[in-house]
């Protein structure tokens, strides 16, 4: 599979370049581009945020491989992953309130500290230490995807008083570079782990200097800011639950997100044991996945431009169908005795391509359907079934015999059928709602809390 992987990687890179060039032609220029104060502030944020993203993505390609390298059984590795998901559920619920109370700057520094400790735990072969490391990883990623953005928005609107429309510009550029960083991180991880022969723990050690630099830059150049202390966590969740129950559109969106993203989490766990026995360079495989996701993001921007004028609901439906088709392929390509790693690799690429389409479409629909005052509370409720489904999938459905992986993909395919039914129901509810249609070219941003780790 070595040659196949490299051919796919370079082919996807070439396609990325072509699509990005085409997508850039559909973009509208913003007056903020000529504002030197805004550009300076943007750079100040990017130099910290991109270092943090690099450290995060470096840990993606070899996480499962590291536990396997330490001779743990697949069922034991599944429990470590479940601890990470459970940690994400818990800390994801409180990370926003924690950052508001403690301070966004302090929370971002805490991220660099806890994630560094998480990486250091990978040097140990003790099972309990590795579980603690995954719990710290759940805390760190929760802070990464809440505290940094909260700090930026406060500085943007409160301290600098820039137009709120410019936040979308920053988020769009961050989304683009997030893909570039993810692709590069896979290559760097592959170089250290395989080309230099340092093993699967090497990328985690390489992450630590990036995390240290993140903390240093934050301490040197960022101001502290806080959230509204009057907003209580319990009230926020209660308001979110009321919004979820009272609006069928919100409930259906939450159902789609829980089903789709839980399947993606299970895919994150399974891709390494499916492909690794055939000897592909895992870092390059990971970079190929990220390139496929970037292609999906580019296709979304092109599809919703004036030229093609497709709507996010249509693209959401397409992404769910693509994942179902990919999982259907995987039930055959992972059949014991008839494994086809190239077909499995292709199916995984299609899943990542679908993710590139799904996240901006889902992000657009969430912004339009969920009231801004209830967004945080509703998202907290969305995360609970999402992570619970992923945990149940790994704990109950993935047995230790050779048919376990195939059965898992079959069950995931069934979950995607349920997601498709929810999409159809949502489509019938909102078909005459012009608010959920793109009327002008918009630069959509992607949610980065499901980073294909």
């Amino acid at each position: 599979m070595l040659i196949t992987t490299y051919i796919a990687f370079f082919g996807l890179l070439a396609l990325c370049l072509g699509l990005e060039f085409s997508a850039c032609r559909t973009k509208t220029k913003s007056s903020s581009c000529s504002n030197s104060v805004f550009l300076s502030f943007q750079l100040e944020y990017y130099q910290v945020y991109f270092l943090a993203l690099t450290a995060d993505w470096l840990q993606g390609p070899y996480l499962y491989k590291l536990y396997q390298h330490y001779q743990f059984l697949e069922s034991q590795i599944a429990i470590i992953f479940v601890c990470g998901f459970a940690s994400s559920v818990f800390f994801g619920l409180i990370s926003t309130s924690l950052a508001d109370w403690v301070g966004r700057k302090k929370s971002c520094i805490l991220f660099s500290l806890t994630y560094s400790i998480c990486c250091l735990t990978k040097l140990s072969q003790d099972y309990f230490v590795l579980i603690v490391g995954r719990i710290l990883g759940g805390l760190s990623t929760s802070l990464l995807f809440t505290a940094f953005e909260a700090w930026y928005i406060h500085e943007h609107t409160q301290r600098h008083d820039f137009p709120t429309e410019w936040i979308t510009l920053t988020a769009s550029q961050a989304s683009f570079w997030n893909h570039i960083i993810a692709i590069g991180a896979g290559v760097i991880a592959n170089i250290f782990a395989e080309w230099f022969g340092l093993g699967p723990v090497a990328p985690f050690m390489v992450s630590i200097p990036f995390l240290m630099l993140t903390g240093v830059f934050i301490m040197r150049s960022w101001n502290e800011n806080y959230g509204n202390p009057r907003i209580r966590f319990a009230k926020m969740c209660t308001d979110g639950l009321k919004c979820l129950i009272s609006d069928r559109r919100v409930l259906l969106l939450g159902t789609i997100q829980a089903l789709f993203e839980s399947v993606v989490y299970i895919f994150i766990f399974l891709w390494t044991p499916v492909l690794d026995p055939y000897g592909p360079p895992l870092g390059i495989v990971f970079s190929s996945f990220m390139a496929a996701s970037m292609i999906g993001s580019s296709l979304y921007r092109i599809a919703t431009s004036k030229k093609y004028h497709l709507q996010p609901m249509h693209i959401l439906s397409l992404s769910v169908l693509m994942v179902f088709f990919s999982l259907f392929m995987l039930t055959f390509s992972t059949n014991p005795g008839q494994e086809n790693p190239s077909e499995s690799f292709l199916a995984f690429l299609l899943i990542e391509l679908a993710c590139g389409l799904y996240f901006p479409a889902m992000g657009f629909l969430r912004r339009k359907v969920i009231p801004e005052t209830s967004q945080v509370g509703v998202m907290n409720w969305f995360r609970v079934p999402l992570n619970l489904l992923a945990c149940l999938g790994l704990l109950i459905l993935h047995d230790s015999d050779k048919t376990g992986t195939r059965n898992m993909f079959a069950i995931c395919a069934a979950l995607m059928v349920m997601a498709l039914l929810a999409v159809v129901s949502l489509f019938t509810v909102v078909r005459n709602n012009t608010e959920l249609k793109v009327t002008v070219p918009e630069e959509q941003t992607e949610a980065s809390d499901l980073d294909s780790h």
Side-chain angles (χ1 to χ4, degrees):
M1 255 197 89
L2 181 69
I3 297 175
T4 302
T5 303
Y6 277 102
I7 290 173
F9 174 59
F10 287 114
L12 289 166
L13 275 184
L15 189 55
C16 274
L17 290 173
L19 286 173
E20 276 303 316
F21 176 75
S22 177
C24 284
R25 294 172 63 183
T26 68
K27 291 182 181 179
T28 56
K29 292 186 178 181
S30 170
S31 59
S32 64
C33 295
S34 60
N35 188 307
S36 60
V37 178
F38 172 71
L39 291 175
S40 177
F41 167 64
Q42 210 178 38
L43 181 61
E44 178 185 313
Y45 173 68
Y46 284 157
Q47 70 179 0
V48 171
Y49 186 54
F50 290 167
L51 282 171
L53 286 176
T54 302
D56 184 49
W57 284 120
L58 279 168
Q59 300 174 49
Y62 290 92
L63 182 59
Y64 187 101
K65 180 68 174 179
L66 177 70
Y67 300 139
Q68 199 175 51
H69 179 71
Y70 289 157
Q71 305 297 316
F72 291 116
L73 299 174
E74 192 169 31
S75 57
Q76 293 175 305
I77 298 172
I79 292 173
I80 298 176
F81 272 75
V82 165
C83 290
F85 292 150
S87 174
S88 296
V89 171
F90 176 73
F91 291 115
L93 292 173
I94 67 170
S95 58
T96 301
S97 300
L98 177 68
D100 290 346
W101 177 60
V102 174
R104 279 73 175 262
K105 176 181 177 179
K106 294 186 188 73
S107 297
C108 293
I109 294 171
L110 178 64
F111 154 82
S112 63
L113 177 63
T114 55
Y115 223 4
S116 296
I117 297 172
C118 170
C119 291
L120 288 172
T121 62
K122 302 300 187 292
L123 293 170
S124 173
Q125 298 187 31
D126 183 87
Y127 192 65
F128 177 75
V129 172
L130 292 172
I131 287 178
V132 171
R134 283 300 288 165
I135 293 172
L136 288 174
L139 167 61
S140 302
T141 52
S142 295
L143 291 173
L144 174 61
F145 299 123
T146 54
F148 283 80
E149 181 182 350
W151 180 90
Y152 174 82
I153 291 174
H154 184 279
E155 294 293 305
H156 181 109
T157 57
Q158 302 299 319
R159 191 180 299 274
H160 294 283
D161 197 27
F162 293 130
T164 55
E165 295 80 16
W166 293 1
I167 294 175
T168 303
L169 177 65
T170 299
S172 177
Q173 292 178 356
S175 175
F176 170 78
W177 285 106
N178 182 39
H179 279 114
I180 299 296
I181 290 168
I183 293 169
V187 175
I188 293 170
N190 195 85
I191 290 171
F192 279 91
E194 301 192 30
W195 292 8
F196 291 171
L198 299 177
V201 75
F204 297 92
M205 299 303 102
V206 175
S207 293
I208 295 176
F210 289 96
L211 292 166
M212 293 175 64
L213 283 173
T214 300
V216 169
F217 283 150
I218 291 171
M219 288 188 287
R220 288 180 58 183
S221 61
W222 281 21
N223 299 305
E224 183 61 278
N225 63 55
Y226 298 86
N228 187 351
R230 296 181 180 179
I231 299 177
R232 296 184 178 181
F233 175 73
K235 185 179 185 303
M236 181 175 62
C237 289
T238 302
D239 291 344
L241 183 60
K242 288 179 181 177
C243 178
L244 189 64
I245 295 172
S246 62
D247 192 333
R248 191 183 175 199
R249 300 175 305 166
V250 178
L251 184 61
L252 288 169
L253 269 183
T255 302
I256 296 164
Q257 178 172 325
L259 293 168
F260 187 99
E261 295 182 25
S262 63
V263 167
V264 173
Y265 277 16
I266 293 170
F267 149 69
I268 291 168
F269 174 81
L270 288 175
W271 74 265
T272 302
V274 169
L275 298 179
D276 188 47
Y278 305 96
L282 295 181
I284 303 302
V285 170
F286 182 85
S287 292
S288 299
F289 290 163
M290 296 302 100
S293 179
M294 187 174 183
I295 289 169
S297 177
S298 300
L299 288 173
Y300 176 86
R301 293 202 304 276
I302 294 169
T304 54
S305 65
K306 276 185 176 179
K307 185 175 181 180
Y308 299 101
H309 204 58
L310 288 178
Q311 298 304 324
M313 271 302 307
H314 302 141
I315 296 174
L316 182 68
S317 305
L318 176 62
S319 64
V320 173
L321 276 172
M322 287 177 63
V323 173
F324 169 74
F325 176 71
S326 302
L327 292 166
F328 187 71
M329 286 175 59
L330 286 162
T331 59
F332 292 96
S333 63
T334 57
N335 191 27
Q338 299 177 334
E339 293 91 345
N340 188 329
S342 297
E343 187 176 319
S344 296
F345 182 41
L346 175 60
F348 289 149
L349 290 174
L350 287 175
I351 290 175
E352 285 289 352
L353 177 65
C355 287
L357 293 168
Y358 163 86
F359 283 111
M362 176 59 78
F364 174 87
L365 293 170
R366 276 201 306 257
R367 287 195 299 274
K368 296 295 184 180
V369 169
I370 305 172
E372 187 175 351
T373 55
S374 304
Q375 288 231 1
V376 175
V378 170
M379 287 303 298
N380 284 339
W381 286 107
F382 279 7
R383 291 189 189 102
V384 174
L386 190 164
N387 285 277
L388 286 177
L389 281 172
C391 291
L392 287 172
L394 295 182
L395 284 176
I396 300 173
L397 303 177
H398 195 80
D399 54 54
S400 57
D401 63 30
K402 290 185 178 181
T403 62
T405 298
R406 181 174 184 267
N407 291 340
M408 175 70 80
F409 286 129
I411 294 169
C412 286
L415 291 177
M416 293 315 298
V417 171
M418 295 169 62
L420 188 59
L421 292 174
V423 169
V424 172
S425 297
L426 180 61
F427 202 94
T428 58
V429 172
V430 304
R431 63 179 179 271
N432 296 322
N433 192 337
T434 56
E435 184 187 0
L436 300 185
K437 295 182 179 180
V438 178
T439 55
V440 293
E442 294 187 36
E443 293 193 62
Q444 303 294 340
T445 59
E446 297 167 62
S448 52
D449 51 300
L450 200 64
D451 44 342
S452 298
H453 278 43

